[in-house]
Amino acid sequence: NAPTAMAFAPDGRLFVCQQSGQLRVIKNGALLATPFLTVTTDTADERGLLGLAFDPNFAANQFIYIYYTVTSSPRHNRVSRFTANGDVVVPGSEAIIFELDNLSAAFHNGGAIHFGSDGKLYIAVGDNGNSGHSQTLTTVHGKMLRINSNGTIPTDNPFYNTTTGNNRAIWAWGLRNPFTFAFQSGSSRMFINDVGQNTWEEINDGIAGSNYGWPTTE
């Protein structure tokens, strides 16, 4: 119900996010009855469980990362790491990796997360319905972020020395709602799928430091 994202585990299982907060497993062609995990999440409009990624060293550490909207006040999106035990999560294994900025609108949350070939975790974040967010480096909204797997921020990020705090995670900006993105197989090349407003949908080359123009251009 209301699937928002999916990813294949290295062993071939397919994990599917449901907006309601359940991460489901399809194994050997069959949907397992028991969810891998369930998080309490705000499902208003475009909020909810929106993204997942497997650690590059998943075979050894069994780490899975998700992006979801927390229900505590103030509402915000969060990236957390969990540890797998077969087809279910290890109870109590949630480790909060990155807390995003507080939300006002319920839409334009972004939500896709993927590891690049550099071993860094990339996070797509929407402008939260405020187009002005996209053209300032004082908020992570309307951006593509890049962090280390433990939640720290790489010092070689393009704006690391000109911003502070979580904003040092900004890798690219000027995005409206990059709901999904992907890396070309076997490559570091990124494609960012940015949701347009009235006229255009965009597929952009993801390049460090780039400004994709929203809201000046669509």
Side-chain angles (χ1 to χ4, degrees):
N1 293 318
T4 54
M6 64 182 184
F8 282 99
D11 57 24
R13 290 175 297 167
L14 179 60
F15 284 61
V16 182
C17 294
Q18 294 186 160
Q19 185 182 11
S20 59
Q22 293 184 330
L23 182 57
R24 306 299 302 274
V25 180
I26 299 172
K27 184 177 182 180
N28 298 322
L31 176 65
L32 301 186
T34 302
F36 174 81
L37 64 75
T38 301
V39 291
T40 301
T41 188
D42 180 349
T43 60
D45 205 352
E46 296 174 359
R47 297 174 179 176
L49 174 56
L50 303 175
L52 80 153
F54 293 92
D55 192 281
N57 198 29
F58 176 75
N61 60 31
Q62 295 292 293
F63 289 162
I64 293 179
Y65 301 76
I66 65 170
Y67 179 119
Y68 71 103
T69 312
V70 302
T71 57
S72 56
S73 184
R75 296 286 200 272
H76 62 279
N77 291 307
R78 168 185 291 168
V79 177
S80 284
R81 185 190 73 209
F82 292 82
T83 304
N85 179 21
D87 296 323
V88 295
V89 72
V90 174
S93 65
E94 180 174 12
I96 298 171
I97 298 300
F98 200 83
E99 301 273 27
L100 280 73
D101 294 346
N102 295 337
L103 298 171
S104 51
F107 51 91
H108 293 189
N109 286 276
I113 57 174
H114 299 291
F115 278 93
S117 60
D118 57 0
K120 309 303 183 185
L121 182 61
Y122 291 78
I123 305 166
V125 188
D127 68 8
N128 193 223
N130 183 338
S131 61
H133 286 158
S134 301
Q135 291 297 320
T136 176
L137 296 176
T138 60
T139 175
V140 299
H141 289 143
K143 312 295 193 303
M144 183 67 68
L145 310 181
R146 175 179 181 259
I147 64 173
N148 296 313
S149 61
N150 63 1
T152 60
I153 299 174
T155 57
D156 62 348
N157 275 1
F159 305 107
Y160 187 89
N161 294 321
T162 55
T163 57
T164 59
N166 279 355
N167 297 321
R168 287 179 160 179
I170 296 171
W171 186 79
W173 55 325
L175 294 161
R176 184 172 183 267
N177 187 30
F179 182 61
T180 61
F181 72 98
F183 286 99
Q184 182 177 349
S185 181
S187 167
S188 61
R189 187 180 186 186
M190 177 195 289
F191 294 93
I192 306 171
N193 303 319
D194 199 11
V195 179
Q197 185 176 33
N198 296 320
T199 307
W200 301 102
E201 305 288 324
E202 297 182 4
I203 301 177
N204 294 303
D205 264 307
I207 300 171
S210 290
N211 184 337
Y212 294 95
W214 175 255
T216 307
T217 59
E218 180 191 359

